[in-house]
Amino acid sequence: MANIKSAKKRILVNQTKAARNKAIRSKVKTSIKKVEAAVAAGDKAAAQAALLAATKEIDKAAGKGVYHKNNAARKVSRIAKAVNGIA
């Protein structure tokens, strides 16, 4: 355990940031799962609506620095490709 005051503060701040990042990541994963579920069901309208919401969540996460911009772009691209693949 840290003895120095600044080290103790860093531990607390890092825990807070980790919890925030975890919550944001979880939100993104949930939104992606909703898109994938709509694609699996073959519901194009629901998939497009879910895609819009998921894209927004992913972009927010990238803007906050939780995901790298290329990682975010890859995620958006993959789900968009899946939605566009619905017949």
Side-chain angles (χ1 to χ4, degrees):
M1 182 63 197
N3 291 322
I4 298 166
K5 187 178 180 183
S6 62
K8 289 179 183 176
K9 182 180 177 183
R10 290 304 333 147
I11 290 168
L12 293 175
V13 170
N14 286 339
Q15 285 175 341
T16 305
K17 287 184 177 183
R20 172 182 166 268
N21 290 344
K22 190 173 185 180
I24 293 169
R25 277 199 177 95
S26 176
K27 213 173 195 182
V28 168
K29 285 180 186 176
T30 301
S31 64
I32 290 172
K33 283 179 189 170
K34 286 180 183 174
V35 174
E36 290 171 347
V39 168
D43 189 350
K44 189 157 182 125
Q48 286 176 331
L51 173 65
L52 201 64
T55 302
K56 190 173 179 183
E57 287 296 333
I58 293 168
D59 289 342
K60 273 190 198 175
K64 291 176 182 177
V66 178
Y67 288 115
H68 188 275
K69 63 178 184 141
N70 291 355
N71 188 346
R74 186 177 68 242
K75 287 181 186 299
V76 170
S77 176
R78 284 181 180 168
I79 58 175
K81 186 177 178 184
V83 171
N84 291 335
I86 298 174

